[in-house]
Amino acid sequence: MTDQIITFIMYCIPSLVVGALAFYFFRMHIENEDKKRLFLLQKENQKYALPMRLQAYERMTLFLERMTPQQLCLRIQPHDLSKQDYEKLLVATIEEEFEHNLAQQIYMSEKLWNIIRAAKMATIHIIRKTALTPEVPDAQAMVETIFKEFIDKATPSANALSHLKDEVRQFLR
């Protein structure tokens, strides 16, 4: 009786080892196939998402360039506007362009989007601060003051643009 049990166990042990090895290799094969499918799916998605993401970065680069106070003042001349009306026009232009590009945030990191928003707010603050300065009598003097302020220092847009370029470089690696 004990010989039969020992013989039974001797037959069962190799079967269990073979079964365990088969299960292990089958599981590894399934996991590898899942990883392969996921990789191919990501590759396929990236084929469509990469151009859209790069286009979003391009649009935000354009926005940041157009939003620099100097570019803004060159594009939108004060003509015969009062400094308050000119300030409202500049701020409205920035807000309108920003709203036009709101959807681009889904293609970039939250950190970069917050930096871009901060640059927009800082630029608006500079414009409003200049308009409220008593030493600035009119819109033309406002333009000159804005240009003088950024002779030696970088604009908020330049800082945001630097972060944007860094993120694109990291993304393309």
Side-chain angles (χ1 to χ4, degrees):
M1 183 75 169
T2 57
D3 286 340
Q4 289 177 341
I5 294 174
I6 291 174
T7 305
F8 179 73
I9 291 174
M10 294 300 273
Y11 284 116
C12 286
I13 289 177
S15 300
L16 291 173
V17 169
V18 169
L21 284 173
F23 176 77
Y24 173 74
F25 285 121
F26 184 69
R27 194 177 85 211
M28 278 182 34
H29 176 72
I30 296 273
E31 287 175 3
N32 285 340
E33 286 297 314
D34 286 344
K35 288 178 185 176
K36 183 178 174 183
R37 254 180 267 146
L38 183 62
F39 172 76
L40 292 174
L41 184 62
Q42 286 175 338
K43 187 176 175 183
E44 186 71 22
N45 284 342
Q46 192 173 22
K47 189 187 311 182
Y48 299 109
L50 178 64
M52 291 174 66
R53 192 165 182 191
L54 288 175
Q55 184 181 30
Y57 286 124
E58 290 169 0
R59 288 185 63 170
M60 293 316 295
T61 300
L62 183 62
F63 168 72
L64 290 169
E65 286 293 336
R66 291 172 57 90
M67 185 183 69
T68 60
Q70 300 95 321
Q71 288 293 328
L72 200 57
C73 291
L74 287 175
R75 260 187 315 112
I76 303 169
Q77 296 291 318
H79 300 294
D80 295 330
L81 295 173
S82 69
K83 71 177 183 177
Q84 289 79 17
D85 289 340
Y86 188 56
E87 173 240 337
K88 288 176 186 172
L89 179 61
L90 293 176
V91 170
T93 302
I94 292 171
E95 291 290 355
E96 183 180 312
E97 286 197 38
F98 184 75
E99 287 174 12
H100 182 71
N101 289 300
L102 272 175
Q104 306 313 314
Q105 68 183 295
I106 64 173
Y107 297 107
M108 52 193 63
S109 70
E110 189 171 341
K111 178 183 175 189
L112 177 60
W113 184 251
N114 288 335
I115 290 170
I116 291 170
R117 284 180 44 224
K120 176 194 83 132
M121 296 307 293
T123 302
I124 290 172
H125 176 74
I126 290 163
I127 292 168
R128 287 189 172 144
K129 182 181 83 173
T130 305
L132 292 173
T133 304
E135 294 83 30
V136 177
D138 58 14
Q140 189 59 44
M142 190 173 148
V143 170
E144 293 168 13
T145 304
I146 289 172
F147 269 85
K148 287 178 187 173
E149 184 169 342
F150 292 106
I151 286 176
D152 295 331
K153 68 179 188 178
T155 63
S157 298
N159 179 37
L161 191 56
S162 174
H163 282 84
L164 187 144
K165 288 176 183 177
D166 288 342
E167 185 166 308
V168 170
R169 278 187 215 106
Q170 289 174 353
F171 173 68
L172 293 177
R173 285 185 194 175

